[in-house]
Amino acid sequence: MSVVVFRNGTVWRGNGLPDADRLLVVDGRIAPWDESVSPDLSIDLKGGLLAPAFGDGHAHPILAGLEQQGPAIRDAHDVSEIVERIQAWAQDHPDDEWIVAASYDATLTPSGWFDARWLDAVVPDRPVMLRAWDYHSVWCNTRALELAGIDKDTPQPDVGKIPRREDGEPLGTLLEWGAVDLALRVAPAPSLDQGVEALEYATGHLAARGIAWFQDAWVDPDDIEIWLAAAQRGVLRCRADLALRADPLRWAEQRNELAGQRDRIRAAPHLTCNTIKFFVDGIIENHTADMLHDYADACTRGMKVWQHDELLAAAAFVDELGFELHLHAIGDAGARSALDAVEHIQAVNGPRDRRPVIAHAQLVDDDDLPRFAELGVIACFQPLWATTDDVMEQLTLPRLGHERGHRQYRIGSVLRSGAPMSFGSDWPVTSADVLPALQTAVTRARQDGTPHGGWMPEERIDIVNALDIVTRGVAYQAGAETSRGVLSDGFEADLVWLSADPRQSPVSDLSSISVLGTWVAGIPTYQSNSTSSALPAQMERTRV
């Protein structure tokens, strides 16, 4: 039997539960306090806060880990810096057949589109494919376009777009699945070892942010082998559920594969595969989010990834198999289609305990807002997006116009409606750091405090609700609300130790609170350097 005691701090057991000043964990579960028990390990919280571990309801860990393997372009300040880094990488890696990297800042050009010739100037003879920070578009040099079979005669794909120059030749930017996949299918996939290394980095990174469970919100067939190998090698530091991507172009084939893929994952410890991911639309910044009305700066309403009837039929099929739905919906028409899909499965398949998720919910029509609560749909927001950052000011707002632009990420409205909610990061699109995200949810401001009073201040929420959403709310999304998300007796000891209590800290200081330790089922998965010398030697960063 393993007995661990946490003392000398505040224990936030969860929203609505009284605080405590100590916690007892026996064999990885919360136990009633018993003075007679002799602990194997006593941890001094040093005045900090012990709380239910955070969850991330929407992340992409393999993509995030692969970014770290280079070339590094995310922090480049302009196009010329990206090009210089690609040139340097090509010179240092002369044997690489392809140069593949992520993820460049799409705001570095006014349109978000990038020209193949800029890369041709430094790497004309080898294919180069760079993914944008949104992972909905890629930038290729001419050689990569040639290998992908993309030229002036290539028709526009059904689900995607190939921007062109005046002479009809492809510009070099590819938008959304139908176009992006033309390049991805000829570019080399990461090796198994590279994928496992990516997951080891990514789950360690998430554990260091206090995260014990996350939803991998985009899993393709090749990724399953990576996940299984990572689990077998013991490098994972978080629990995870894998959401298999439903492909509208090969849906008939996929129907015979999904249950088998789920069964393979179930055999791996701390992994589940209970979810199917649907991309209902694209993103606003490249005019591919599905809109009820034309964009303010273009005569288009965006793009439907799925035709409406196909989406309903596919949703009903996977629901009948017992999978949960995780629907990416950005535009207001996309959100309506996603809600229609949930309403449809309830009508045709009858009642059962479901946890459908609409991720992002960036723009939701007033008529559709009450449907989240009515249908029991979990709104999974990315709080860091709910302010006026560079992307919002330079790309998003000009495409939406003033009225629609100020109806985005209605976190407060959804909370007041009584709908279930969770938070996610969409990492690596944006940071996986939880405390800055909570600060944004509370203030609707940038980290520097601007705009004063917050953007759309009526959509701000208080810190207790924010903490509740990122703990209990994500546990509910995971279907684990009876075993995780609060610190009740008998629950699994998924814990985070913070340097200060966010409830007692100025909202402007939330992002400066540090994660000092993380546990999954009582097993330590992260400890900060500042606590390592103070903690007993047996508290090591153990793999789960």
Side-chain angles (χ1 to χ4, degrees), residues 170-181:
L171 177 66
T173 303
L174 308 176
L175 309 177
E176 299 299 343
W177 308 115
V180 169
D181 282 353

Side-chain angles (χ1 to χ4, degrees), residues 8-338:
N8 298 330
T10 301
V11 178
W12 182 66
R13 297 173 59 212
N15 194 13
L17 298 175
D19 287 355
D21 60 2
R22 63 194 72 181
L23 188 77
L24 177 65
V25 174
V26 178
D27 289 338
R29 291 186 177 272
I30 311 299
W33 184 258
D34 186 346
E35 290 284 0
S36 67
V37 171
S38 177
D40 301 307
L41 181 63
S42 183
I43 297 176
D44 184 350
L45 295 173
K46 300 185 179 299
L49 182 82
L50 190 70
F54 301 140
D56 190 320
H58 186 103
H60 305 289
I62 294 179
L63 297 178
L66 290 174
E67 278 196 25
Q68 305 305 308
Q69 297 176 16
I73 59 173
R74 176 174 281 267
D75 62 345
H77 295 95
D78 52 38
V79 171
S80 63
E81 187 173 353
I82 295 174
V83 171
E84 289 170 3
R85 293 188 187 185
I86 296 302
Q87 181 180 31
W89 182 273
Q91 292 171 347
D92 293 341
H93 299 79
D95 296 330
D96 287 358
E97 180 184 359
W98 277 73
I99 299 173
V100 178
S103 52
Y104 63 88
D105 181 353
T107 67
L108 297 179
T109 66
S111 64
W113 295 356
F114 291 70
D115 197 313
R117 294 172 294 191
W118 302 338
L119 295 171
D120 294 344
V122 294
V123 186
D125 55 340
R126 282 188 281 168
V128 179
M129 184 185 74
L130 311 181
R131 305 189 78 162
W133 50 259
D134 54 38
Y135 281 87
H136 284 255
S137 54
V138 300
W139 171 22
C140 298
N141 71 348
T142 298
R143 182 59 180 148
L145 293 174
E146 291 171 351
L147 292 175
I150 301 171
D151 57 27
K152 65 180 179 181
D153 297 320
T154 303
Q156 289 291 353
D158 292 334
V159 184
K161 185 176 181 181
I162 303 172
R164 300 181 184 278
R165 305 189 185 104
E166 291 184 2
D167 61 3
E169 293 290 346
L171 177 66
T173 303
L174 308 176
L175 309 177
E176 299 299 343
W177 308 115
V180 169
D181 282 353
L182 296 175
L184 287 178
R185 71 186 183 190
V186 296
S191 69
L192 187 64
D193 287 344
Q194 287 175 319
V196 170
E197 180 184 340
L199 277 179
E200 181 172 19
Y201 165 82
T203 58
H205 182 90
L206 293 170
R209 272 91 192 137
I211 294 166
W213 179 91
F214 63 86
Q215 178 78 70
D216 184 335
W218 176 2
V219 176
D220 284 325
D222 290 346
D223 298 331
I224 292 174
E225 304 305 323
I226 293 172
W227 273 107
L228 290 173
Q232 184 179 25
R233 298 181 194 180
V235 303
L236 302 178
R237 302 195 183 279
C238 303
R239 308 176 190 264
D241 182 65
L242 313 187
L244 304 173
R245 178 171 71 98
D247 187 343
L249 301 180
R250 58 179 298 269
W251 173 242
E253 304 166 46
Q254 272 191 304
R255 289 185 294 185
N256 299 320
E257 304 168 359
L258 298 175
Q261 291 167 338
R262 175 175 57 189
D263 291 343
R264 293 186 66 203
I265 291 296
R266 277 177 173 167
H270 292 290
L271 294 182
T272 58
C273 187
N274 297 330
T275 308
I276 302 296
K277 168 68 174 292
F278 289 85
F279 281 94
V280 178
D281 63 355
I283 60 173
I284 289 169
E285 291 73 28
N286 63 24
H287 297 105
T288 57
D290 189 17
M291 306 294 289
L292 293 173
H293 304 284
D294 281 356
Y295 283 85
D297 63 342
C299 294
T300 179
R301 295 188 179 184
M303 181 190 76
K304 296 181 186 295
V305 176
W306 292 77
Q307 293 306 307
H308 194 260
D309 290 347
E310 282 283 302
L311 176 63
L312 300 190
F317 178 81
V318 300
D319 176 75
E320 192 173 11
L321 290 177
F323 284 102
E324 302 292 354
L325 303 186
H326 192 104
L327 302 122
H328 161 115
I330 293 285
D332 47 12
R336 180 168 295 178
S337 292

Side-chain angles (χ1 to χ4, degrees), residues 356-368:
V357 173
I358 294 181
H360 315 314
Q362 183 167 350
L363 197 64
V364 179
D365 189 77
D366 286 342
D367 291 341
D368 291 318

